Each structure stands twice: as C-alpha cells, then as structure tokens.
C-alpha cells in the first residue's frame, strides 16, 4: 500500500489518494499535487491520465461536490472573491441551524462572523442586513465566551445605532474593574468615546430594575475629567434612596464615594484647573461646589443619625447603671449589721455600681455633646438648600428631604434628650430652630 501511495503521488493519481486523506490539509494536498502534475503534462504535450482540476476555483468546486462541509463551500466563494455570494450563503446556512442547540454552533458563528467582518472591512458590496446578522452572531458568541474586550471592534463594523445597542447590552456582563477598564480602552481604540459611553451607562435610571451602584462604578472608573458626573449621579442615587427609606443603600453609595475620595479629587481638580477660560472655569467651579455641598450634606445627615443612635444607646446604658446603683444602695440599707462579710460585699458592689454610673454619665455627656454638634452642623449646612432653576426635579427632591429629615433628626435628638432628662440642652436648640437663614420650614 505504501509503495502504491508513493507512485500515485508521483503520478498525480487523485482518485487513489483521495480515499486515504483524513484531514482538510490532506485533501487539499491531493488536489494541488494532481493539479501540478496535470499542468506539467499539459506543458509537455502529454495527456494526463486522470482528470484533475488545475485552477483554484476548480479545486474548491471539486471538493464541494464530494464533501458537504461548510468549510469547503465557503472557501470556494472566498477563493473566487465571490464576497456577496459568501455573505448570502452564510446567512442562509445560519437560518438552517437549529436555534435550540445554539451553544454547539457557537464556534461556527464566530467563524462566520470573522468572514463577514472581513467582507465589511474590505467594503465589498453585499446585502447589509445579512452582514449585520452575521456580525451580531459573532458578538453573541464573544459574549458567551466572556471575551468582552473584543466586542467593541466587531460592534464598530455595524451601523452606529446597532453598534451602540450591542455595546450597551454587553456592559452589564462586565463585572470586574479590570474588565471594565479594558472595555473602555477597547471602545476608544475603535473611535468610540469610551468614557462618554460609560457615563451614559452609569447614569441613575430610576425606572430600571438594575443594580444602580454597580452601574455607577462605570463612571467611577473614568478619568478625573468625569468626576463631576460621578459625584452628581451619586447624589441623585442617594436622594432617591433616602426618599425611598432605603438608608442602607444610600449609606453604601456614600461609603464607596468616600473610599474613592471623589470629593477630595474633585476639589483638587477644581483648584488646579488652568487650561480653561475664566467663564468656563467659573461655571464648572460653581457646578462642582453645588455637588460637593450636597454630598457633604448627605454625609452630615448620616453622621447626625449615627450620633443620635449612639446617644440613645448611651441613655439606655446610663439608665441601667443608675437603676443598678439604686438597687445596690437599697439592699445595703436593709442589710443586717452583724453580717460583716455580707456588708463588705454589698459595699463593694455599691462602689462598683457607683463607678460604673459615673463612667456612664461621662460617656453620656460626651455623646450628648457630639450629637448636638452633629445635628446643628447638619442643619446649618447649605448643601440641601443649593437649588438650581435648571434642575427642577433635584430642587423638589431636596425640598422633600428637608421636610422629612430635618424634622426626623430633631425628633430623634429631642427624644434622646428626654431620655436623659436634659431640658437645658433642648433650650440650647431653640436659637437654631428660630434661625430664619436656615430655612428649616421652607
């Protein structure tokens, strides 16, 4: 058999070699070898004993008559530069694929998408809807393989609106910070504004059931030029959560902004801006001041609430310590005079209770002072009173926050002061409540 194969190869015997071929490369070599011998015999004026195609087109047409593999059919189109026919054939082939077993055809879609992308890059004429479908299948295959940073390149081959939709649909699946940075970089490399798309995607969309904080992280990953957008959207999210009684979510947003030091970075950027003209600098600085003040006011509210909660806990501890001291003192009054051991033990308990009571009073006074300072600072801060005519929704939200949380924090503080029977501190609040400049009642 080996000798026959050797002489068949030397003679260009296509019919004997083809049944022994086990791969695409072997089949192509058989046809190419036969074509070379046929051309040599033709040049020498000798009839080739076995018919063999001598052109590339003929070779691939011969292959397709023997094998039904889509590879041979597609390659026959490509070798003949029949780009439009290739696009039409790939689209027709995809429509015949069983959609229920999409995963098994993922690699085929990727291959077809690459070919269609090549045709679009070379700008050959073909049915545009077919090309869009094939490139779309390619992007879906990349999404299934989690090759997110390749999506922008293939999306750029589509019409702009279709490309943006594919990009937008891909972004929720990119979860890591590194992956998102690579995605933004890939967008920039294909002439999209990656940071602008990230800002649009990260904007707070109240009507959509998405992880708003996770979307906001797209803006956090942008350069410092987008810090104003990042803090503005964070404020919008905090306002929504506070008005929805979702203070835990609001606190999570604030904590993440503080961890990233957005306020400090934005303030530093404002102070170092020199490349802009004076009017632009004034407008940006004014906008930055508004969002920074509002964010600081959110932080002060959270701080005031935390201090009042701690104050209430200290009031409970102080009350428990006072009650324990009173019980120990009453027990000492009724003790028997002759029981010296018991008397000394009770005296020691009274001393410990007295010491605990004194410490609780000191801690209570410190908590009371901190709570008063936190509440007064919160009420005096202008962040929730910086309204803008251009943003009516924000103005109304801040008004609702003032109406709800000014009264809420004051009620909480007055309740805590009532627990420790401190009427003097309540009187100290009256000048603050009567200050018209604070606009507590408007």
């Amino acid at each position: 058999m080996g000798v026959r194969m050797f002489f068949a190869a030397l003679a260009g015997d296509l019919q004997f070699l083809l049944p022994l071929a086990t791969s695409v490369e072997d089949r192509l070599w058989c046809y190419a070898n036969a074509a070379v011998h046929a051309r040599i015999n033709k040049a020498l004026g000798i009839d080739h004993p076995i018919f063999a195609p001598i052109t590339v087109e003929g070779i691939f047409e011969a292959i397709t008559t023997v094998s039904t593999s889509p590879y041979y059919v597609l390659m026959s189109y490509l070798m003949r530069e029949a780009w439009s026919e290739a696009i039409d054939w790939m689209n027709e082939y995809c429509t015949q694929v069983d959609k229920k077993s999409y995963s098994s055809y993922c690699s085929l879609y990727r291959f077809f998408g690459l070919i269609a992308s090549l045709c679009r890059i070379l700008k050959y004429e073909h049915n545009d809807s077919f090309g869009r479908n094939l490139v779309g299948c390619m992007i879906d295959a990349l999404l299934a393989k989690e090759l997110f940073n390749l999506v922008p390149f293939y999306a750029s081959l589509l019409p702009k609106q279709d490309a943006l939709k594919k990009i937008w649909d891909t972004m929720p699946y990119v979860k890591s910070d590194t992956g998102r940075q690579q995605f933004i970089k890939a967008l920039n490399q294909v002439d999209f504004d990656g940071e602008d798309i990230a800002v649009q995607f990260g904007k707070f969309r109240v009507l959509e059931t998405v992880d708003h904080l996770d979307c906001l992280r797209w803006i956090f990953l942008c350069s410092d030029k987008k810090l104003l957008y990042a803090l503005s959207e964070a404020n919008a999210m905090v306002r929504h959560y506070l008005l929805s009684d979702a203070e835990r979510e609001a606190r999570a947003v604030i904590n993440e902004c503080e961890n990233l030091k957005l306020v400090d970075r934005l303030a530093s950027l404002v102070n170092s801006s020199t490349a802009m003209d004076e009017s632009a600098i004034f407008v940006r600085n004014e906008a930055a001041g508004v969002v920074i003040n509002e964010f600081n006011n959110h932080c002060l509210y959270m701080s005031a609430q935390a201090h009042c909660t701690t104050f209430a806990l200290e009031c409970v501890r102080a009350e428990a310590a006072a009650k324990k001291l009173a019980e120990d003192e009453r027990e000492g009054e009724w003790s028997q005079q002759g029981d010296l051991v018991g008397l000394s033990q009770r005296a020691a308990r009274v001393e410990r209770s007295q010491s605990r009571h004194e410490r609780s009073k000191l801690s209570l006074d410190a908590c009371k002072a901190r709570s008063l300072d936190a509440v007064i600072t919160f009420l005096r801060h202008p962040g929730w009173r910086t309204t803008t005519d251009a943003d009516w929704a924000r103005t109304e939200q801040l008004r609702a926050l003032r109406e709800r949380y000014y009264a809420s924090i004051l009620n909480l503080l007055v309740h805590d002061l009532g627990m420790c029977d401190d009427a003097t501190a309540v009187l100290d609040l009256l000048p603050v409540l009567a200050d018209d400049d604070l606009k507590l009642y408007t």
Side-chain angles (χ1 to χ4, degrees):
M1 178 65 71
V3 175
R4 292 185 62 186
M5 289 177 59
F6 176 75
F7 284 106
L10 290 179
D13 189 344
L14 181 65
Q15 294 180 353
F16 181 80
L17 291 176
L18 273 179
L20 303 176
T22 59
S23 65
V24 174
E25 291 79 6
D26 291 344
R27 294 176 63 83
L28 287 175
W29 185 87
C30 292
Y31 277 101
N33 179 65
V36 169
H37 283 83
R39 282 179 174 271
I40 292 174
N41 290 336
K42 183 179 180 181
L44 295 175
I46 303 173
D47 293 334
H48 194 65
I50 300 172
F51 171 77
I54 59 175
T55 63
V56 173
E57 294 85 353
I59 289 174
F60 279 100
E61 286 180 0
I63 290 177
T64 57
T65 60
V66 178
S67 174
T68 58
S69 172
Y71 172 81
Y72 301 114
V73 180
L74 182 58
M75 289 303 295
S76 68
Y77 289 127
L78 299 182
M79 295 304 295
R80 291 185 287 110
E81 297 186 0
W83 307 105
S84 180
E85 295 177 22
I87 291 288
D88 295 343
W89 179 85
M90 287 189 293
N91 181 75
E92 179 65 23
Y93 189 88
C94 286
T95 58
Q96 297 174 2
V97 171
D98 185 8
K99 299 300 182 181
K100 295 182 180 180
S101 57
Y102 168 78
S103 59
S104 62
Y105 293 96
C106 188
S107 59
L108 178 64
Y109 289 152
R110 289 183 63 187
F111 177 67
F112 282 177
L114 285 170
I115 300 301
S117 302
L118 176 64
C119 295
R120 294 181 69 84
I121 292 172
L122 296 177
K123 301 186 184 304
Y124 282 94
E125 295 294 333
H126 59 268
N127 190 311
D128 193 58
S129 63
F130 292 169
R132 287 201 301 269
N133 293 337
L134 292 170
V135 175
C137 289
M138 173 66 176
I139 293 175
D140 293 339
L142 292 174
L143 186 60
K145 294 290 185 179
E146 297 186 357
L147 300 173
F148 305 119
N149 58 329
L150 298 179
V151 170
F153 170 75
Y154 292 101
S156 66
L157 303 175
L158 299 172
K160 186 173 182 180
Q161 293 302 321
D162 294 342
L164 291 175
K165 185 178 185 305
K166 285 292 184 183
I167 291 170
W168 194 276
D169 292 341
T170 302
M171 293 175 75
Y173 297 97
V174 188
K175 295 298 183 181
S176 67
D177 290 346
T178 302
R180 289 172 176 174
Q181 290 172 342
Q182 292 176 349
F183 195 84
I184 293 174
K185 183 179 179 181
L187 287 171
N188 292 329
Q189 290 174 346
V190 291
D191 296 332
F192 284 110
D193 190 337
E195 291 195 350
D196 184 63
I197 293 176
V199 168
Q200 295 300 322
F201 183 81
K203 281 187 175 180
F204 178 59
R205 304 182 294 276
V206 64
L207 298 179
E208 296 186 20
T209 55
V210 296
D211 187 345
H212 298 294
L213 179 56
D214 190 60
C215 293
L216 184 60
R217 293 190 180 103
W218 279 93
I219 310 181
F220 291 164
L221 292 173
C222 295
S223 64
D224 286 353
K225 295 180 181 179
K226 303 298 183 182
L227 282 174
L228 184 60
Y229 294 100
L231 201 57
S232 178
E233 293 302 322
N235 284 337
M237 197 175 298
V238 172
R239 290 197 302 270
H240 170 74
Y241 283 141
L242 289 178
L243 292 174
S244 303
D245 294 326
E247 293 191 3
R248 178 180 298 179
E249 289 78 2
R251 192 180 301 276
V253 176
I254 291 174
N255 289 340
E256 184 137 357
C257 293
E258 290 181 335
N259 292 336
L260 295 173
K261 300 181 179 179
L262 295 187
V263 172
D264 295 339
R265 289 163 56 192
L266 180 57
S268 176
L269 181 66
V270 168
N271 294 332
S272 62
S273 58
T274 57
M276 303 169 62
D277 56 55
E278 293 184 1
S279 60
I281 291 176
F282 175 77
V283 172
R284 193 183 70 172
N285 290 0
E286 185 178 15
V290 169
V291 297
I292 289 175
N293 280 336
E294 181 184 344
F295 182 80
N296 287 336
N297 215 156
H298 295 321
C299 296
L300 288 173
Y301 166 71
M302 293 296 179
S303 175
Q305 187 189 55
H307 279 95
C308 288
T309 302
T310 304
F311 184 26
L313 294 176
E314 289 298 330
C315 288
V316 173
R317 293 193 186 99
E319 184 179 0
K323 185 181 296 185
K324 184 68 169 63
L325 176 61
E327 291 176 355
D328 291 340
E329 288 177 346
R330 283 197 302 271
E331 185 179 355
E333 293 176 357
W334 292 96
S335 62
Q336 296 180 3
Q337 298 294 330
D339 188 4
L340 297 179
V341 176
L343 180 61
S344 61
Q345 291 176 346
R346 284 188 289 273
R349 283 200 298 271
V350 170
E351 290 180 2
R352 288 195 298 271
S353 298
Q354 182 69 32
S355 176
R356 189 182 303 112
H357 179 59
E358 294 297 332
R359 289 197 302 272
S360 66
K361 287 178 61 178
L362 293 175
S363 178
L364 182 63
D365 291 340
C367 282
K368 179 178 65 176
R370 288 195 296 267
S371 299
L372 282 170
D373 290 341
V375 170
I376 292 174
T377 303
F378 162 64
L379 295 176
R380 290 187 181 279
H381 198 277
W384 283 6
R385 294 188 291 275
T386 53
T387 59
T388 55
D389 297 334
D391 195 345
W392 176 84
R394 174 180 176 274
T395 300
E396 290 300 309
Q397 287 177 333
L398 290 178
R399 182 183 60 80
L401 286 177
R402 294 195 302 271
E403 291 178 353
R404 178 183 301 185
Y405 288 105
Y406 282 173
S408 173
I409 202 70
L410 285 171
N411 288 336
L412 183 59
L413 179 61
V414 171
H415 177 266
D416 293 346
L417 293 174
M419 291 176 64
C420 62
D421 296 327
D422 192 343
T424 304
V426 176
L427 295 177
D428 292 339
L429 278 176
L430 294 180
V432 178
L433 301 179
D435 191 349
D436 292 336
D437 294 337
L438 298 183
K439 300 179 181 179
L440 298 179
Y441 311 104
T442 58

